[in-house]
Each structure stands twice: as C-alpha cells, then as structure tokens.
Amino acid sequence: MRQAEQDALAGGFFKWSGPRDKQLVSRNLDEVVSLLQREVGPQKYEIQGRTKPFFTQIQFRRLDSLVLSYAWFAPAMEITSTPAEPYYILFFRRHGSSKYSVGRQSFITSPSCGAFLPGMQPLQVQTNENWHVFGTRFSLSAIHLELSHLLGRDIVHPIEFDPMVNFDHGAGRIVKRMLVRLYEEAGRDEAEIALSGAGIRQMERSLIGLVLEGLSHNYSKIVNGPGRNIAPWQVRAVEEFILENADQSLSLGDLAVIGGVSARSLQYSFRRHRGCSPMELLRRKRLERVRNELVHAAGSTTVTSAAMRWGFLHLGRFAAEYRARFNESPSATLRRSL
C-alpha cells in the first residue's frame, strides 16, 4: 500500500469498529457508489483524469440524530446530485480544498470554509487528488422538529442553508469547534461511549440548535427576530421542567415548547427575570447534580463517572466551572465524602 493510502486510513479522528458503523476500503468505484447512494442519496461519481488508480476509504457512524462520516478518495473526482427531497450534510476538512457549486453559488472549501448541503439545490463538487472530507448528516425530522420548536409553528417550506460556512468567525467558528469535539467523543471505544452517552446526545441536540440559530438560512430572520416578554408562569414552567429533567438531553427548542413560546422570547424573558439563559440554567443544575453525587459518593464513584453521567465530556472545562461555582475542585469534594 502506498504511503498516501496508509496516511488516509490513519487520518481520521478515530477508528470505527462498533455495531453502528459502516466501513469500506475499496478499489471498485461501483461498490463505492452503491454504498454512498444508500447512505447519502442519488449522486453521480466520476473519476477525473487517470494519474492515480481508484482507491477510497469511507466510514459512517450513526448517532441518535446525526450520521458522522469520513471519506477519502485517491483520484480527483466530480460529484453531482439533484436532490429529490431535502437532506442536510455539513462538511469540514483538516487540509486541502475542493470546489463546490450549489445552485448558482460557487466557492472553494478549505479548513476555514465548510459546505452545508444542499436543502433542495443541485450540487456539483470538483475535488483534487487525495481528497478527504468529514461530513455530518442531520436527520431531516430532527432538524425540522427543532426549527418548529424554535419558531413555535410548523415548517411549511424546506430549510435552505447558505451553502458556504465561514469557520473562522461568528457561529461558524463555534460550529467547527463543536464538530471536532463531537467526532473526538464519538470516536472513543464502546465502553467509553456508553459512559458518556448522555453527553454525546446533548452535543447532538446542541449542534442542531446552533446551526439553526447561528448559521444563515431562509428562516434565520424569524429565528433571530425580536423577543417579547412572556408571562411569569411560563418562565416558572420551563424552570420546573429543567429541574425535573436535567438528566435528559434537552435543546432550547424543547424548552420553548414547554413554555408555549418562541425560543427568542424564552431567551429574552429568562435573561430579564433569571439573569441567565435557559440553557445556562440547565448547565448550572447539572453541576449541582454532579456535586450532590460527589458529596454522597458510593465506593465506585469517580469524578469522571459523575461528570460524564450529567453530560460533562470536557473534564478540564468541567473542573474549572465546578471550582468557580463551589470554590473547590471536584476531587476535593469527593475526598471529603469518602
């Protein structure tokens, strides 16, 4: 095997080998097209030039609401599709570039520029040799449900995202950081994933909410429109729901449904009456639940297990938040209780 091929096979965030995974390493274009059409939808793949023999690695991992994927092609390729129904895949890369044409818009992707495809717009991708890309496919039902929750109404027209995503500024920068963390966490072995499952599910929900609130699409002006004050009982209803369901993966859209208002109005009223957003309150309550576990620790309790059980996957950030909130480290709390 050539060095470039070896590098590609080792170049992902992680090695996938669990029951939710699909992997293919192949020199047969027809075999690859068959897999991709089943997983992604109708697309046409053509080899451009014959300076490199065909060789590829493709991986898919299914989560609750997302499908994570990694693809590497040795030869330059041209990929085209005209969707029969909406689908949403957000692509990012660590190096290299390729040209995307979506509808009437054309742009070059790079580590600083991603592509969000395609809604219902026709697509053409022209790749270079040794092309690689990470693709995150969003469940159509999950992204529509979250948007309807954010708006407080049904979604009639397909969501059309601006296909070019700037990963260096604004919400795009946070999206890229969250994507990298999600791939890293989902790349752990099965035992670690089982331990951190609640945290990964929360990351999925948070990512869906973030792309709908932060990235540009045909509903953006409504999602980010002015908020209005809501009744105190609606704020209390959401607050009580958070207290009772802090162990569940929740999104801002979920909480807006509980309050019976738009997400924008819920955010506005929470900041006015509680001094924080609903999601900030949820995080505070989860910190309190971790502390309670550490204060009343069983013999098998560890800081890591308690933090991950309540959705804190980045242990360094968790420890800093915990110390800021309770004026001691989580390990000090645990030592005192044992």
PDB file of all heavy atoms in Angstrom, residues 39 85 93 108 196 299 328:
ATOM      1  N   GLU A  39     -26.432   5.471   1.544  1.00  0.00           N
ATOM      2  CA  GLU A  39     -26.240   6.258   2.750  1.00  0.00           C
ATOM      3  C   GLU A  39     -26.547   7.736   2.557  1.00  0.00           C
ATOM      4  O   GLU A  39     -27.003   8.406   3.485  1.00  0.00           O
ATOM      5  CB  GLU A  39     -24.795   6.100   3.259  1.00  0.00           C
ATOM      6  CG  GLU A  39     -24.461   4.708   3.736  1.00  0.00           C
ATOM      7  CD  GLU A  39     -25.247   4.329   4.983  1.00  0.00           C
ATOM      8  OE1 GLU A  39     -25.515   5.209   5.816  1.00  0.00           O
ATOM      9  OE2 GLU A  39     -25.602   3.140   5.117  1.00  0.00           O
ATOM     10  N   GLU A  85     -35.489  15.084  -2.463  1.00  0.00           N
ATOM     11  CA  GLU A  85     -36.065  15.555  -1.215  1.00  0.00           C
ATOM     12  C   GLU A  85     -34.951  16.218  -0.413  1.00  0.00           C
ATOM     13  O   GLU A  85     -33.762  15.979  -0.671  1.00  0.00           O
ATOM     14  CB  GLU A  85     -36.677  14.405  -0.416  1.00  0.00           C
ATOM     15  CG  GLU A  85     -35.696  13.318  -0.053  1.00  0.00           C
ATOM     16  CD  GLU A  85     -36.342  12.159   0.685  1.00  0.00           C
ATOM     17  OE1 GLU A  85     -37.561  11.964   0.510  1.00  0.00           O
ATOM     18  OE2 GLU A  85     -35.640  11.471   1.441  1.00  0.00           O
ATOM     19  N   ARG A  93     -13.067  20.026   6.755  1.00  0.00           N
ATOM     20  CA  ARG A  93     -11.829  19.331   6.401  1.00  0.00           C
ATOM     21  C   ARG A  93     -10.693  19.845   7.265  1.00  0.00           C
ATOM     22  O   ARG A  93     -10.765  20.936   7.831  1.00  0.00           O
ATOM     23  CB  ARG A  93     -11.509  19.523   4.923  1.00  0.00           C
ATOM     24  CG  ARG A  93     -11.319  20.962   4.538  1.00  0.00           C
ATOM     25  CD  ARG A  93     -11.394  21.229   3.036  1.00  0.00           C
ATOM     26  NE  ARG A  93     -10.682  20.243   2.268  1.00  0.00           N
ATOM     27  CZ  ARG A  93     -11.282  19.419   1.390  1.00  0.00           C
ATOM     28  NH1 ARG A  93     -12.580  19.511   1.185  1.00  0.00           N
ATOM     29  NH2 ARG A  93     -10.591  18.541   0.713  1.00  0.00           N
ATOM     30  N   ILE A 108     -14.761  27.773  -2.851  1.00  0.00           N
ATOM     31  CA  ILE A 108     -13.699  26.813  -2.583  1.00  0.00           C
ATOM     32  C   ILE A 108     -13.685  26.522  -1.093  1.00  0.00           C
ATOM     33  O   ILE A 108     -13.578  27.435  -0.267  1.00  0.00           O
ATOM     34  CB  ILE A 108     -12.324  27.352  -3.017  1.00  0.00           C
ATOM     35  CG1 ILE A 108     -12.343  27.742  -4.495  1.00  0.00           C
ATOM     36  CG2 ILE A 108     -11.238  26.310  -2.745  1.00  0.00           C
ATOM     37  CD1 ILE A 108     -12.600  26.602  -5.443  1.00  0.00           C
ATOM     38  N   SER A 196     -20.362   8.005  28.377  1.00  0.00           N
ATOM     39  CA  SER A 196     -20.578   9.411  28.017  1.00  0.00           C
ATOM     40  C   SER A 196     -21.756   9.602  27.078  1.00  0.00           C
ATOM     41  O   SER A 196     -21.898  10.655  26.470  1.00  0.00           O
ATOM     42  CB  SER A 196     -19.311   9.967  27.351  1.00  0.00           C
ATOM     43  OG  SER A 196     -19.016   9.265  26.153  1.00  0.00           O
ATOM     44  N   GLY A 299     -18.708   3.914  46.953  1.00  0.00           N
ATOM     45  CA  GLY A 299     -17.318   3.500  46.799  1.00  0.00           C
ATOM     46  C   GLY A 299     -16.820   3.524  45.369  1.00  0.00           C
ATOM     47  O   GLY A 299     -15.630   3.731  45.114  1.00  0.00           O
ATOM     48  N   GLU A 328     -14.106  24.982  45.195  1.00  0.00           N
ATOM     49  CA  GLU A 328     -13.202  23.866  45.437  1.00  0.00           C
ATOM     50  C   GLU A 328     -13.217  22.965  44.215  1.00  0.00           C
ATOM     51  O   GLU A 328     -14.135  23.038  43.384  1.00  0.00           O
ATOM     52  CB  GLU A 328     -13.600  23.078  46.685  1.00  0.00           C
ATOM     53  CG  GLU A 328     -14.920  22.336  46.573  1.00  0.00           C
ATOM     54  CD  GLU A 328     -15.218  21.508  47.817  1.00  0.00           C
ATOM     55  OE1 GLU A 328     -14.392  21.477  48.738  1.00  0.00           O
ATOM     56  OE2 GLU A 328     -16.302  20.868  47.856  1.00  0.00           O
TER      57      GLU A 328
END
